Amino acid sequence: MDMNFVSPTFPKSTKPKQRRRELSEEEVEEIKEAFELFDNDKDNELDYHEFKVGLRALGFDVYKAEAQKLLRDYDRLGKNKINYQDFHEVAADMMLQRDSREEILKAFKLFDDDDTGKISLKKLRRVARELGDNVNEDELKAMIDEFDLDGDGEINFDEFLAMLNSD
């Protein structure tokens, strides 16, 4: 059974093998609008508060320490500000990471049709049947055994993520 039907995009630290998807024109425009809207003093840079509110407007609730670290990482001139290009990069990375996790969660929910947070042998068998895969019981059990890291006989979301990220 081919369980790699989702093409996940993971944060930079996991070194994805697949090419990341591109932002849509609408997403690029959202980033631009957020930058322009919250650049209160119109200096083409965002200070800490403008930066944090700009990210929040895009749907990212970042903690103070995370926002400060991002600002420090991208503050090339030591002004405690971030320019549009760097804001775009930060926001785009966050959007791409969020979207991939949502896609993976949707895929997980295809298996977890009763919202238990687990994929059981019974659920795996159902999906295999729906996909027209002729996989025998031993093969299905072997799939669960291979990725069942906590030994409970089922696959939880973290184990599902690990499975998608395995070679």
Side-chain angles (χ1 to χ4, degrees), residues 110-127:
L110 291 174
F111 290 90
D112 184 25
D113 59 345
D114 60 357
D115 291 323
T116 62
K118 304 273 188 163
I119 299 172
S120 65
L121 181 61
K122 179 181 175 184
K123 293 175 187 178
L124 191 58
R125 187 181 316 115
R126 175 188 54 81
V127 172

Side-chain angles (χ1 to χ4, degrees), residues 1 8-9 74 95 100 109 112:
M1 179 172 153
T9 304
Y74 285 91
M95 283 181 165
S100 69
K109 287 180 180 269
D112 184 25

Side-chain angles (χ1 to χ4, degrees), residues 1-108:
M1 179 172 153
D2 181 14
M3 298 193 50
N4 290 323
F5 58 92
V6 175
S7 178
T9 304
F10 295 97
K12 292 176 186 174
S13 62
T14 60
K15 298 190 181 21
K17 291 173 183 66
Q18 287 101 3
R19 185 172 167 251
R20 296 175 68 166
R21 79 161 181 84
E22 302 281 322
L23 290 178
S24 69
E25 288 180 30
E26 292 82 17
E27 290 169 321
V28 170
E29 189 60 31
E30 279 181 59
I31 293 170
K32 183 177 183 223
E33 286 175 7
F35 184 88
E36 291 171 352
L37 181 64
F38 295 105
D39 181 13
N40 296 325
D41 53 5
K42 304 302 178 204
D43 64 352
N44 294 314
E45 296 177 313
L46 301 180
D47 65 22
Y48 165 76
H49 295 290
E50 294 168 335
F51 175 58
K52 189 168 181 193
V53 173
L55 289 178
R56 185 170 286 146
L58 292 171
F60 302 107
D61 196 17
V62 294
Y63 292 105
K64 181 178 181 179
E66 181 182 6
Q68 288 173 331
K69 181 183 180 333
L70 285 168
L71 195 59
R72 273 192 312 273
D73 289 349
Y74 285 91
D75 179 18
R76 298 177 188 170
L77 301 176
K79 296 175 12 180
N80 204 29
K81 293 188 172 194
I82 189 169
N83 65 28
Y84 173 73
Q85 179 183 344
D86 292 334
F87 178 78
H88 182 277
E89 185 177 331
V90 169
D93 282 348
M94 293 173 91
M95 283 181 165
L96 291 169
Q97 289 173 23
R98 172 185 63 199
D99 291 348
S100 69
R101 186 166 178 91
E102 288 173 10
E103 287 177 30
I104 293 169
L105 185 56
K106 285 178 190 174
F108 182 79

